Amino acid sequence: MSTLYERTLRRAGTDPEGFWAEAAEQISWVKRWDSVLDDSNPPFHRWFAGAQVNTCYNAVDRHVEAGRGQQPALIYDSPVTGTTATLTYADLQDQTARLAGVLRNLGVRKGDRVLIYMPMIPEAAVAMLACARIGAVHSVVFGGFAARELATRIDDALPRVVLTASCGIEIARIIDYKPLLDDAIARSAHKPAATVLLQRPQHSATLGPGDHDWHEAMAAAQPADCVPVQATDPLYILYTSGTTGIPKGVVRDNGGHLVALDWSMKNVYGTAPGEVYWAASDIGWVVGHSYIVYAPLIHGCTTVLYEGKPVGTPNAGAFWRVISDHGVSALFTAPTAFRAIKREDPHGDLIRQFDLSSLRTLFLAGERADPDTVRWAEEKLGVPVIDHWWQTETGWPIVANCVGLGALPVKHGSPTKVVPGYDVRILEHEGGSAGGSRELPAGETGAIALRLPLPPGCLPTLWKNDGGYIDSYLSEFDGYYQTGDAGFVDEDGYLYIMSRTDDLINVAGHRLSTGGMEEILASHPDVAECAVIGIADSLKGQVPLGLVVLYAGSGRTEAEIVPELVQTVRDQLGPVASFKIAAVVDRLPKTRSGKVLRGTMRRIADGEPYTVPATIDDHAILDEIEKTLAELGLPRL
Ligand code: COA
Ligand code: AMP
């Protein structure tokens, strides 16, 4: 007898159109589709072509119309401001419609972009939904990015309006958003027509010409109705790190996204409407887009929006307090948060102080979940701990233990099996033929690729960059999307994620480009050459380490240069990069063709065995690097 998981996987694989059409019945459409999957223009596949829909209607209004207006939609829990507040679906509808009216008054029309630069407050979710309501395309920028990163996104998305707040709060530190935004707009070639700013009690910003006060604008606005958009129209752009300093604008559409996220809530996360779901992330990341805002609301759950860090002083035990205060049934966070908790409460004493009977499952994603941490969480919480793997581009899980389809046995170190709808293959290049590939047998490590077409919800392309979409993802293996991760599948079909195949690193669950950091270091006037590698860190999984070669005769010492480099990355990329370790070296190890041996240096830094590459002539240089890294006293896993 096959299991429900196996039957669902088979059905999604053999009849994807029938499978997703059935899932689409859970969504309210203005007009149904002409074709479930339009594959007339490969490799650009479009789901639910010809359909019309509104994402905000599905996330908010339809629940009110179904008589659930008084159900909590969003619980705001903010220890940094000492506030908790609950918005019902009716409240959310009212605020969203009003803010949509504000945007409309500012000339925002269907297809226009709106940039959202906001902390973790309910208005940030309202802002996203208000855009969706009138068919505007939002682009949320994470608050931990610096002005230069914000400027890059403004110049790519060309937003008509910016929605922001006066400040963010990082534990006890007030982050003054307005100067950051002003600096970004001064740097960008494109100038948004207007900014709407929410004044928070913790800090008041000075408004300039073209700036509008959020509350005044809301009071003056007429509520706006949901506007039908094409299912294939963009809902949002979310920029994510690529291999250079220029981020990639991942596009999400409306129809496929609605269907996939709703399906995932029931089948991947095993969550029912009315239950409380908490993704402890930030709306600036894909986890925040998909599982703080859209999926729980589309599915009619109550979402928790938490402002602050749920670990460390003074918030130790915050995870457990929030779960017990709000009756959370599913918690989703990054393994790094659990490593931090394990470090501060190794015996789980704080956990025992709270009633966690509502918690059914803990989900971990965003970076490798190390088996020690997973076992610790299983033991201390007494609930299944589900590692699952996906990325900004897909928007929802690729490989998971789909608890809604019947949990499979857990193998520590593996995010379990492919999610129905995806077709995961382990590939390597075949010698000779360009684009040719060979599928690897069980147990052999290769590039993890997804057979096209990708299921609904995944990126249809990059923002105004079809060529970049093909070059970045589709050109390596003909007929496949390459994920940038390497790994293998075992005899039982469990996937193991081993490493990235590019120079992206994962710092505290945040995806960052070492190439982007190298560009910043190289701009320092004394730096002739540099390399940034991701090294193992016992808390954050990985942290960046910079090695720089100074111009001959620069006359500067390491003690002078390193703090400048650290500050430059913080100023230009943002504090979230956690770039704190750097050293000056005489030269960098390179192959005969001039390629810097980043992989070998990373192995040395992590204390892993390494072989001296055959392509290197100068062996002594690796000894020098080993000595420099040993002197740094690195924080290894
Ligand atoms: N605005 C401004 N600064 C921010 C910021 C924001 N929104 N978010 C983070 N930063 C800053 C932090 O204050 C910190 O600054 P510091 O170097 O001055 O201390 C820096 O960016 C690095 O932040 P972070 O990587 O979050 O490290 P941390 O040591 O402050 O906290 C954890 C570590 C594990 C507690 C934290 O990352 C966490 O709670 N993660 C949970 C899950 C998560 O967010 N996952 C991501 C996607 S699933
Ligand atoms: P992001 O797009 O920021 O969500 O980052 C996606 C990348 O994070 C993936 O391509 C992986 O490299 C890594 N990642 C996400 N989830 C996992 C996981 N469960 N195990 C290992 N790596 C993961």
Side-chain angles (χ1 to χ4, degrees), residues 142-144 170 173 280-281 309 311 333-334 508 540 570 575-576 580:
F142 176 60
E170 276 294 295
R173 192 157 46 100
S281 179
K309 279 189 205 306
V311 298
T333 190
K540 298 193 177 191
R570 195 177 171 94
V576 69
K580 293 185 178 164

Side-chain angles (χ1 to χ4, degrees), residues 504-518:
L504 291 186
I505 58 170
N506 210 308
V507 180
H510 310 313
R511 166 172 159 180
L512 298 164
S513 160
T514 53
M517 289 184 228
E518 286 178 3

Side-chain angles (χ1 to χ4, degrees), residues 240 285-287 364-369 387-393 415 483-485 497 499-500 506 509-511:
T240 186
W285 306 110
V286 71
V287 175
L364 298 176
E367 55 173 327
R368 181 174 173 271
D387 174 20
H388 60 316
W389 169 73
W390 50 294
Q391 47 187 207
T392 305
E393 288 84 347
T483 64
D485 286 311
I497 313 291
S499 60
R500 289 288 304 184
N506 210 308
H510 310 313
R511 166 172 159 180

Side-chain angles (χ1 to χ4, degrees), residues 122-134:
E123 288 82 355
V126 169
M128 293 164 74
L129 293 163
C131 292
R133 195 170 186 86
I134 55 168

